[in-house]
Amino acid sequence: MEKLVSLCKRRGFIFQSSEIYGGAGSVWDYGPLGVELKRNLKDRWWHAMVRARDDIEGLDAAILMHPRVWEASGHVAGFTDPMVDCRVCKARFRADKLDDAQCPRKPSRKPGEHSDCDLTEPRLFNLMFKTTIGPVEDSASIAYLRPETAQGIYVNFLNIQQASRQKIPFGIAQIGKAFRNEITPGNFIFRTREFEQMEMQFFVDPAADHMQWFEFWKGERLAWHRSLGLAEDRLQFHQHSEKELAHYARAAFDIEFDFGGSLGFQEIEGVHHRGDYDLSRHQEYSGKRLEYVDQVANRRYLPFVIETSVGADRTTLAVLVNGYREEVVPGEQEGRVVLGIDPRIAPVKAGIFPLVKKDGMPEFAEKLARELRVRFPVFYDESGAIGRRYRRQDEVGTPFCLTVDGQTMQDGTVTVRDRDTLAQERVAADRVSDYLRLRLS
Amino acid sequence: MEKLVSLCKRRGFIFQSSEIYGGAGSVWDYGPLGVELKRNLKDRWWHAMVRARDDIEGLDAAILMHPRVWEASGHVAGFTDPMVDCRVCKARFRADKLDDAQCPRKPSRKPGEHSDCDLTEPRLFNLMFKTTIGPVEDSASIAYLRPETAQGIYVNFLNIQQASRQKIPFGIAQIGKAFRNEITPGNFIFRTREFEQMEMQFFVDPAADHMQWFEFWKGERLAWHRSLGLAEDRLQFHQHSEKELAHYARAAFDIEFDFGGSLGFQEIEGVHHRGDYDLSRHQEYSGKRLEYVDQVANRRYLPFVIETSVGADRTTLAVLVNGYREEVVPGEQEGRVVLGIDPRIAPVKAGIFPLVKKDGMPEFAEKLARELRVRFPVFYDESGAIGRRYRRQDEVGTPFCLTVDGQTMQDGTVTVRDRDTLAQERVAADRVSDYLRLRLS
């Protein structure tokens, strides 16, 4: 993980936020390559979940919502961690993680040793960020930064159903930022205070076979992660036990990815059967009927909700961890670092190099880069030995490198080198665009 | 505008946030059609500004940043509106807009009449939303929701320049949410407390011809808005006068769009020459050197910045206003409402209809919809008279309607109807995908 964090900074995937000011607590910025990788992931999710289906509608709800939303959802009362303060050193710890906590004043001491600490009773600390809206700072104008995007879907349920004329079963999907004032964030972009969710809420008839839909979405979502190239043996389901299950939930599975090292298997997505908890709470708190009207069967009911909720940052991290490898190259002294990212989500699709900086090769290669850039993200590089330029592209996961050499100037073909197999073949320069389109689809 | 707001709600472009709770103050949610329209706009900007150019890098910086960022930027001290309170009615007004303000207790009174008001002296009210980060609520843990995305670019300037190996002149671009606690938001999605910016900061050599780059970006950005189909006579430049110009700014132009009605010409984008103000402030406040090193000329310097900053929501509104028209249809009793949106950014590309619900037409049309949906957002509709289905698609800006009729079942062709010209032609069903690709490029 340390090597990956260093690579991410050096090559422009991910920087610490406000780094020149010493950083902002567990907040990260996506640099030129990171933003493209994450965009590709989000676009794939949006296409699979919204555009390619006729039974899911898209939404982009705002981060700021009416404060009553969070009373109805249960977050104001229950979205808390129990905290204890130490009266001696003034540090604050999660009460349920005291055994792992270390006194900040005595770093030599082992975690969990609190022999001369003077700890307060546990107090509940709400994880929502609070702010005030409008010019007057009073309690009526409190607003929260949403801790999840799901509530934006529930409160818009009827508006969307009516505008889109969808019939149950159907879903609503959105991608957006959420915020949690985590006490112990960490592990790079795995747990951060500002993060991005890709959530879909699927509304089903409680009198029909809703467990079948639950199983359907479990399967679909696992298949989606596999389609990103995440290794099969690094993905698993974790079923929530009775104890883990929220009181209203009928079933819940996490999709876990093996991040390796001390992190191991961790949740990257949750598939939850939430019953009619959310809609019935909003119906109660808003005083507005949120029932779906089935005009054919002449019934009104609150649908059940199957939720699929995936962390965009965690999935980005999983793709990076899954792809990172160091390997020996046959016949070469130095090894190489490769980000074996699926070509379809790689931030740069092709590196384009003139073999040497003369004989018209730079001009030919630059022209090729200009033509390809309209359709694919490509990177032109003429500096340093060709081997070094290959290594630079391997390290950021570029699947193809196109080299313009002496033969190009004679027959118009370029060398196409494959990142993973290292195989090289010659392709006519005017066919490269079609070649890439085929290899990237 | 009222008709447009109503259409936007009814058809699922834009809903009021938390509407079932009476709405959140000037915050809006993008519904199924709105989210696609805005995505298309943002994708076009990203392609034009980042992917199609080799001299601009992308970034996605976090909303939460180190609080010193906003001291350096001048927002903590200066991003304020002067406010006065009325001691009688407790209302708060912008001091510089008192002449337009109306007493909320006496709605019959004319704006600007404050005969028996007891107003306080003006006090400065900061427009940044404030929150606290981490578990302890003290002044050290204050965080602001960014009021602009630009600062995320400035603080990452050197990290990105080094990781991407760009040479000046080059730019950094990002799309992201920003927040301003506006006293008088309004006009639908024109001025909202939560909004989305598309900003690009272009770094140029202060010893070179930076005004030429300023002129270049003015031209490029105006051309981009025209490429969305915004009418030429509804777009204009507004040059900031000496009085309007920020003290550090060397020149500034707004690109204004004519929203019509009482709103008239309003800013949708700003093109600003900011000199080296931002980088020099961050250099001073962070204590870190932010100079660019020109290794060829052996010079170090702080570059000048040309900023192009466009509101994604305002541009979306401009596209909607620009496209909305009511017109008489020759030979028909009822008129029609059309959203004349450029086909490339229209949320739905084609409506697909069986002429009648029998003779295999629905099956044929559904199959065609399934095949097309993998590549284009399409909408299948079999309910109601065909004329009514056309009208529904006209109203949401769908450029093409494909109808499966009796002839289809014989020769495999479908009717393609053009939204704007109403012309109909027959196209073989298996050629429709290519036809759409051509018409949409």
Side-chain angles (χ1 to χ4, degrees):
Chain A
M1 186 69 97
E2 266 168 51
K3 280 182 191 167
L4 185 65
V5 174
S6 156
L7 185 153
C8 280
K9 183 193 161 174
R10 184 164 39 81
R11 298 307 307 274
F13 279 91
I14 296 161
F15 307 118
Q16 201 183 3
S17 167
S18 317
E19 197 197 34
I20 61 172
Y21 290 98
S26 283
V27 180
W28 300 87
D29 294 347
Y30 287 81
L33 296 178
V35 65
E36 293 294 346
L37 174 60
K38 199 177 172 193
R39 274 183 80 92
N40 291 343
L41 276 174
K42 291 191 288 183
D43 284 351
R44 271 185 77 78
W45 186 87
W46 190 258
H47 187 264
M49 299 297 278
V50 181
R51 290 194 172 169
R53 299 188 66 97
D54 63 350
D55 59 352
I56 298 187
E57 300 289 334
L59 172 69
D60 184 9
I63 289 166
L64 299 173
M65 302 179 76
H66 195 287
R68 286 278 282 171
V69 169
W70 306 109
E71 293 172 27
S73 71
H75 283 82
V76 168
F79 192 55
T80 52
D81 274 345
M83 305 290 299
V84 298
D85 290 302
C86 175
R87 296 191 185 90
V88 182
C89 73
K90 310 293 181 203
R92 185 169 280 187
F93 309 100
R94 267 179 67 166
D96 56 344
K97 295 276 168 83
L98 263 182
D99 289 351
D100 305 324
Q102 185 160 37
C103 177
R105 295 290 171 88
K106 303 184 187 79
S108 62
R109 189 178 285 177
K110 278 183 204 150
E113 265 193 62
H114 300 285
S115 48
D116 54 356
C117 297
D118 180 8
L119 301 174
T120 63
E121 286 297 299
R123 287 180 301 189
L124 293 176
F125 172 75
N126 198 295
L127 297 182
M128 286 194 293
F129 284 100
K130 199 193 279 186
T131 188
T132 52
I133 201 167
V136 189
E137 285 193 32
D138 62 20
S139 66
S141 62
I142 280 180
Y144 300 99
L145 306 192
R146 66 178 175 200
E148 59 178 34
T149 60
Q151 302 301 326
I153 292 178
Y154 303 139
V155 300
N156 279 303
F157 161 66
L158 266 197
N159 263 345
I160 291 176
Q161 188 268 317
Q162 285 161 4
S164 66
R165 299 190 292 144
Q166 284 280 1
K167 290 183 180 60
I168 275 178
F170 79 97
I172 303 174
Q174 79 170 325
I175 298 175
K177 287 278 178 88
F179 300 80
R180 295 180 187 177
N181 203 351
E182 299 277 359
I183 311 308
T184 49
N187 287 312
F188 197 29
I189 56 170
F190 179 76
R191 179 172 281 113
T192 54
R193 294 200 170 105
E194 173 177 342
F195 55 101
E196 202 159 9
Q197 294 186 309
M198 307 191 285
E199 293 199 319
M200 192 281 296
Q201 315 288 327
F202 203 73
F203 300 89
V204 295
D205 184 345
D209 195 350
H210 43 90
M211 285 312 293
Q212 205 169 312
W213 277 110
F214 182 72
E215 291 302 324
F216 172 81
W217 282 114
K218 268 178 63 187
E220 284 288 296
R221 296 306 308 148
L222 183 67
W224 186 80
H225 289 287
R226 285 187 179 151
S227 83
L228 300 177
L230 298 184
E232 291 216 12
D233 61 355
R234 296 185 88 148
L235 287 167
Q236 69 179 25
F237 278 117
H238 162 73
Q239 181 171 14
H240 286 215
S241 65
E242 289 279 317
K243 242 176 93 180
E244 290 170 279
L245 219 52
H247 67 88
Y248 52 81
R250 295 178 167 241
F253 281 77
D254 293 339
I255 297 175
E256 295 185 332
F257 174 78
D258 183 3
F259 287 92
S262 59
L263 208 50
F265 274 100
Q266 295 287 345
E267 177 192 356
I268 54 175
E269 172 153 5
V271 182
H272 307 129
H273 188 321
R274 302 178 62 100
D276 63 5
Y277 174 77
D278 307 282
L279 290 179
S280 65
R281 293 277 290 191
H282 284 299
Q283 182 164 274
E284 181 191 340
Y285 277 70
S286 71
K288 299 266 162 52
R289 287 183 86 159
L290 297 181
E291 288 162 324
Y292 171 78
V293 179
D294 182 336
Q295 288 175 322
V296 177
N298 198 20
R299 288 168 55 217
R300 305 176 70 108
Y301 60 86
L302 282 183
F304 280 178
V305 170
I306 314 291
E307 167 183 76
T308 71
S309 171
V310 52
D313 309 276
R314 289 182 178 191
T315 306
T316 304
L317 183 59
V319 164
L320 289 168
V321 166
N322 183 78
Y324 185 91
R325 64 178 194 261
E326 296 170 6
E327 62 186 28
V328 177
V329 184
E332 291 194 21
Q333 290 259 305
E334 280 183 82
R336 66 170 189 160
V337 170
V338 186
L339 266 190
I341 303 175
D342 187 303
R344 293 166 303 174
I345 54 175
V348 178
K349 304 306 183 191
I352 300 170
F353 316 141
L355 183 63
V356 290
K357 268 200 264 188
K358 58 180 185 182
D359 302 336
M361 293 182 204
E363 292 75 12
F364 192 102
E366 282 189 294
K367 180 163 170 288
L368 182 59
R370 262 197 311 278
E371 286 165 4
L372 291 175
R373 190 170 289 117
V374 182
R375 299 185 57 185
F376 311 100
V378 297
F379 185 78
Y380 174 80
D381 192 0
E382 58 173 36
S383 74
I386 189 79
R388 202 162 151 215
R389 282 179 265 168
Y390 283 146
R391 295 294 172 272
R392 282 192 204 125
Q393 295 307 312
D394 291 342
E395 199 181 47
V396 299
T398 306
F400 306 104
C401 286
L402 318 176
T403 303
V404 170
D405 54 20
Q407 193 179 329
T408 310
M409 309 316 289
Q410 286 165 11
D411 66 7
T413 63
V414 299
T415 300
V416 180
R417 170 194 178 262
D418 182 290
R419 175 195 67 198
D420 298 317
T421 64
L422 297 176
Q424 303 203 356
E425 56 180 317
R426 295 203 74 92
V427 176
D430 57 8
R431 301 290 304 159
V432 164
S433 181
D434 287 341
Y435 175 93
L436 288 178
R437 189 171 53 78
L438 213 66
R439 296 288 304 267
L440 293 168
S441 65
Chain B
M1 185 70 98
E2 266 167 51
K3 281 183 192 167
L4 185 65
V5 173
S6 156
L7 184 154
C8 281
K9 185 194 160 172
R10 185 164 38 83
R11 299 306 310 273
F13 280 92
I14 296 159
F15 306 119
Q16 201 183 5
S17 168
S18 316
E19 196 196 34
I20 60 172
Y21 290 97
S26 283
V27 180
W28 301 86
D29 294 346
Y30 287 81
L33 296 178
V35 65
E36 294 295 347
L37 174 60
K38 199 177 172 191
R39 273 182 81 93
N40 292 343
L41 275 175
K42 291 192 289 183
D43 284 351
R44 271 185 77 81
W45 186 87
W46 191 259
H47 187 264
M49 299 298 278
V50 180
R51 290 195 171 166
R53 298 188 67 98
D54 63 351
D55 59 353
I56 298 186
E57 301 289 333
L59 171 70
D60 183 10
I63 290 167
L64 299 173
M65 302 179 75
H66 194 287
R68 286 279 281 173
V69 169
W70 306 111
E71 294 172 27
S73 71
H75 283 82
V76 169
F79 193 54
T80 52
D81 273 346
M83 304 290 298
V84 297
D85 290 300
C86 175
R87 294 191 187 91
V88 180
C89 71
K90 309 294 180 202
R92 183 170 281 186
F93 308 98
R94 267 179 66 165
D96 55 344
K97 297 276 169 83
L98 263 181
D99 288 352
D100 305 325
Q102 184 159 38
C103 177
R105 297 289 173 88
K106 304 185 186 77
S108 62
R109 189 179 285 178
K110 277 185 206 151
E113 263 193 62
H114 301 285
S115 48
D116 54 357
C117 297
D118 181 9
L119 301 174
T120 63
E121 286 298 297
R123 285 179 304 189
L124 293 176
F125 172 74
N126 197 295
L127 297 183
M128 287 195 291
F129 284 101
K130 199 194 277 189
T131 187
T132 52
I133 200 166
V136 189
E137 285 194 30
D138 62 19
S139 66
S141 63
I142 281 179
Y144 300 97
L145 306 191
R146 66 179 175 199
E148 61 177 33
T149 60
Q151 303 300 325
I153 293 178
Y154 303 139
V155 300
N156 278 304
F157 161 65
L158 265 197
N159 263 345
I160 291 176
Q161 187 267 318
Q162 285 161 4
S164 66
R165 300 191 292 144
Q166 284 280 3
K167 290 183 180 60
I168 276 178
F170 78 98
I172 302 175
Q174 79 171 325
I175 299 176
K177 288 277 178 89
F179 299 81
R180 296 179 186 177
N181 203 353
E182 299 277 0
I183 309 308
T184 49
N187 288 312
F188 198 28
I189 56 169
F190 180 76
R191 178 172 283 114
T192 56
R193 295 200 169 105
E194 173 177 343
F195 55 100
E196 201 160 9
Q197 294 186 309
M198 307 191 284
E199 293 199 320
M200 192 279 296
Q201 314 288 326
F202 203 74
F203 300 90
V204 295
D205 183 345
D209 195 350
H210 44 91
M211 286 311 293
Q212 204 169 313
W213 277 111
F214 181 72
E215 291 302 325
F216 172 80
W217 282 114
K218 268 178 62 187
E220 284 288 297
R221 295 306 308 149
L222 182 66
W224 185 80
H225 288 286
R226 285 187 178 152
S227 83
L228 300 177
L230 299 184
E232 292 215 14
D233 60 354
R234 296 184 90 148
L235 287 167
Q236 70 179 24
F237 279 117
H238 162 73
Q239 180 171 14
H240 286 216
S241 65
E242 289 280 318
K243 242 176 96 178
E244 290 170 279
L245 219 52
H247 66 90
Y248 51 81
R250 294 179 169 240
F253 281 77
D254 293 338
I255 297 174
E256 295 184 333
F257 174 78
D258 183 1
F259 288 91
S262 60
L263 208 51
F265 275 98
Q266 295 287 343
E267 177 191 356
I268 54 174
E269 172 153 5
V271 182
H272 308 131
H273 188 321
R274 303 178 61 100
D276 63 6
Y277 174 76
D278 308 281
L279 290 179
S280 65
R281 291 279 290 192
H282 284 299
Q283 181 164 276
E284 180 190 340
Y285 277 70
S286 70
K288 299 264 164 49
R289 286 182 88 158
L290 296 181
E291 289 162 323
Y292 171 78
V293 179
D294 182 337
Q295 289 176 322
V296 176
N298 198 21
R299 288 168 56 216
R300 307 175 70 108
Y301 59 86
L302 283 183
F304 279 179
V305 169
I306 313 293
E307 167 183 76
T308 71
S309 172
V310 52
D313 309 275
R314 289 183 179 191
T315 307
T316 304
L317 183 59
V319 165
L320 289 168
V321 167
N322 184 79
Y324 185 91
R325 63 176 193 262
E326 296 170 7
E327 61 186 27
V328 177
V329 184
E332 291 193 21
Q333 288 260 304
E334 279 183 83
R336 64 169 191 161
V337 170
V338 186
L339 266 190
I341 303 176
D342 187 304
R344 294 166 303 174
I345 53 175
V348 177
K349 304 305 184 194
I352 301 171
F353 316 139
L355 183 62
V356 290
K357 269 200 264 186
K358 58 181 184 183
D359 303 336
M361 293 180 204
E363 293 76 13
F364 192 103
E366 282 188 292
K367 181 164 171 286
L368 181 60
R370 264 198 310 279
E371 288 164 3
L372 290 175
R373 190 171 288 118
V374 182
R375 299 185 58 185
F376 310 100
V378 298
F379 185 77
Y380 174 80
D381 192 359
E382 59 176 33
S383 74
I386 191 76
R388 201 161 152 216
R389 283 181 264 167
Y390 282 146
R391 295 292 173 273
R392 283 194 203 122
Q393 295 307 312
D394 290 342
E395 199 182 48
V396 299
T398 304
F400 305 104
C401 286
L402 317 177
T403 303
V404 170
D405 54 19
Q407 192 178 330
T408 310
M409 309 317 287
Q410 288 167 10
D411 67 7
T413 62
V414 300
T415 301
V416 180
R417 169 192 178 264
D418 183 289
R419 175 195 69 199
D420 298 317
T421 64
L422 297 176
Q424 303 203 358
E425 56 180 317
R426 295 202 73 92
V427 176
D430 58 7
R431 302 288 307 159
V432 164
S433 181
D434 286 342
Y435 176 93
L436 288 178
R437 189 171 52 78
L438 214 68
R439 296 287 305 265
L440 293 168
S441 64

